[in-house]
Amino acid sequence: MKWNLRLGITLCASVFGAALALPAAAAETLKIGLVLPMSGPFAGYGKQIEGGVRLYLKQNGDTFAGRKVVLIVKDDTGVAPEVSKRVAQELVVQDKVDILAGFGLTPSAFAVAPIATEAKKPMVVMNAATSAVTTRSNFIVRTSMTLPQITAPIASWAAKNGIHKVFTVVADYGPGQDAEAQFKKTFVAAGGEIVGEIRTPVKNPDFAPFLQKVKDTKPDAVFLFVPAGEQAVGFMKGFAERDLAKAGIKLIATGDITAETGLDAIGAPALGVVTSFHYSEAHNSPENKSFVEAWYKAYGPDRPDFMAVAGYDGMRLIAETVKKTGGSTDGDQFIDAAKGLKWMSPRGPIRIDPETRDIVQTIYIRRVEKVGEKLQNVEFDQVPDFKDPGKL
Ligand code: PHB
């Protein structure tokens, strides 16, 4: 009896000991849940962002402050906020991730923000670019850009470069609405006139009737924002096919339209298009040269674009923040430590604004040119250290 009791206690203690050891071992990993479109028309976003994230780990090692990074990628399929919400909930509740990251599209970031708040999990936004995204949760920090930030410089440039009448065409959701409002504000303040405005559907738009309307209105230029990828390529091709350039209408845009991943598919019609943006594959710096070289070495012929860089920088943000907190991913500690971080990105100098948790960076004015055998966004002017004007 006595012996049995002792055996029971011994067994119990060892089971209990093992149970105790488990959470300690689990705590050593750093689980990052990536919510990304990996299928559907926006699958390219997931590929670029995941590529950037993995490239950072490959170059810098996958252990931050003693915690080995475990990536869990969940496909949210594009503009499908209910799917983004479900997969983020699974990541928090089942996978017990420490950090939520990714977010290719604004509706996805909006849908997940309340989950980050409730679970007190840091949420690192690597693309979704509507200004208001970072205001939806105090646990959000962003490493991509905001639409007002990338739009204001092209509006100023247009007003200074002989463009007086502009027709705006934007995708009808957060980023498009931000782009339209900021373009109007900056361009009109500089003496320009808006002669027409169109908002196009976010899903499967047919640009033909819109292009005809623009052509009939005869503006000096069209200002365009549609999400990077298929839509940007479709609009540019339609612009060429309907001879808008031949009718004397210029195309100006944010650099989403001439992202490197779409440039080859657009081809010659892209030549000469002027855009404002924070990243070009042709950016001339040692940091970018080594990033681009490492990208091609890792992924072959697929070109890197701004989303790859935002994923790469997003991972650097996580690495540097966790080093500062001594390994803690507690939501409040993480966000406090991320505020004010700054470093030299492949895009140029960047920092995290402590007040808004948003990115501050240089915005470049670029023109598409042929460099060697490739179409590239060649930078020729810049606005340094530029904050999101959407929050001023
Ligand atoms: C967004 O949904 O926030 C978004 C998507 C694609 C872009 C820019 C912004 O090119």
Side-chain angles (χ1 to χ4, degrees):
M1 182 70 191
K2 216 176 169 190
W3 186 87
N4 273 347
L5 186 68
R6 217 180 281 149
L7 179 68
I9 290 169
T10 313
L11 276 176
C12 247
S14 61
V15 169
F16 190 53
L20 268 184
L22 270 177
E28 279 160 25
T29 63
L30 174 56
K31 281 193 184 175
I32 303 173
L34 287 172
V35 178
L36 289 172
M38 303 302 297
S39 60
F42 300 101
Y45 295 17
K47 201 172 167 194
Q48 285 281 315
I49 294 172
E50 188 187 355
V53 162
R54 292 198 189 275
L55 186 60
Y56 183 84
L57 294 175
K58 194 172 165 196
Q59 288 183 323
N60 298 278
D62 65 356
T63 304
F64 307 157
R67 297 182 66 180
K68 189 173 165 58
V69 172
V70 176
L71 293 178
I72 305 172
V73 182
K74 296 257 182 183
D75 179 10
D76 69 358
T77 74
V79 183
E82 63 298 340
V83 181
S84 309
K85 194 172 161 188
R86 178 171 51 73
V87 299
Q89 258 155 356
E90 282 170 15
L91 284 166
V92 170
V93 176
Q94 285 161 27
D95 300 307
K96 305 207 174 348
V97 297
D98 300 294
I99 296 171
L100 291 163
F103 309 101
L105 291 128
T106 288
S108 159
F110 278 170
V112 176
I115 296 171
T117 303
E118 201 183 316
K120 295 190 183 333
K121 297 284 177 198
M123 174 167 161
V124 181
V125 173
M126 297 169 168
N127 189 54
T130 301
S131 176
V133 164
T134 47
T135 68
R136 295 291 179 96
S137 169
N138 290 337
F139 295 100
I140 294 180
V141 56
R142 177 157 49 191
T143 60
S144 51
M145 76 275 189
T146 84
L147 259 299
Q149 182 184 49
I150 58 174
T151 298
I154 191 69
S156 306
W157 181 86
K160 281 190 227 135
N161 285 275
I163 294 172
H164 307 293
K165 292 175 194 281
V166 167
F167 200 124
T168 62
V169 179
V170 301
D172 193 9
Y173 77 129
Q177 290 153 13
D178 266 9
E180 182 191 86
Q182 188 64 48
F183 189 89
K184 224 192 272 187
K185 190 172 170 192
T186 308
F187 190 60
V188 170
E193 189 189 341
I194 304 294
V195 293
E197 290 173 34
I198 281 174
R199 292 185 179 181
T200 59
V202 187
K203 288 189 184 172
N204 310 313
D206 170 13
F207 294 122
F210 304 129
L211 284 160
Q212 193 55 47
K213 177 94 176 69
V214 171
K215 196 175 178 188
D216 294 344
T217 310
K218 299 189 175 61
D220 297 328
V222 178
F223 166 73
L224 176 68
F225 170 80
V226 290
E230 279 177 12
Q231 292 195 29
V233 175
F235 190 97
M236 296 280 278
K237 286 194 153 172
F239 195 87
E241 279 155 18
R242 287 173 179 267
D243 287 338
L244 272 83
K246 278 195 192 129
I249 302 169
K250 295 191 176 72
L251 179 61
I252 53 175
T254 59
D256 309 80
I257 304 317
T258 58
E260 287 73 8
T261 35
L263 265 183
D264 300 326
I266 299 165
L271 278 168
V273 172
V274 177
T275 59
S276 52
F277 217 38
H278 56 296
Y279 180 69
S280 163
E281 185 193 342
H283 178 67
N284 190 6
S285 73
E287 292 79 14
N288 190 45
K289 285 213 172 80
S290 78
F291 169 78
V292 170
E293 206 180 287
W295 178 273
Y296 284 118
K297 206 168 153 208
Y299 304 120
D302 288 345
R303 300 179 67 173
D305 73 12
F306 65 106
M307 297 199 198
V309 172
Y312 186 79
D313 283 332
M315 214 53 200
R316 176 153 178 184
L317 179 135
I318 293 172
E320 305 228 345
T321 303
V322 171
K323 272 178 221 154
K324 268 176 84 177
T325 62
S328 169
T329 49
D330 167 80
D332 292 309
Q333 283 181 37
F334 183 98
I335 292 297
D336 272 354
K339 288 177 179 176
L341 277 183
K342 54 174 151 193
W343 67 88
M344 191 56 86
S345 156
R347 67 186 102 172
I350 63 173
R351 64 189 169 89
I352 301 298
D353 178 23
E355 268 136 51
T356 59
R357 292 164 276 103
D358 225 327
I359 189 157
V360 184
Q361 57 193 334
T362 302
I363 304 300
Y364 306 87
I365 309 289
R366 316 96 47 85
R367 185 180 284 107
V368 178
E369 289 174 17
K370 202 155 192 190
V371 179
E373 284 308 299
K374 268 185 180 170
L375 293 176
Q376 292 283 14
N377 292 289
V378 178
E379 295 164 355
F380 63 90
D381 203 356
Q382 56 177 265
V383 186
D385 204 32
F386 194 52
K387 277 194 192 182
D388 174 28
K391 294 198 196 68
L392 295 178

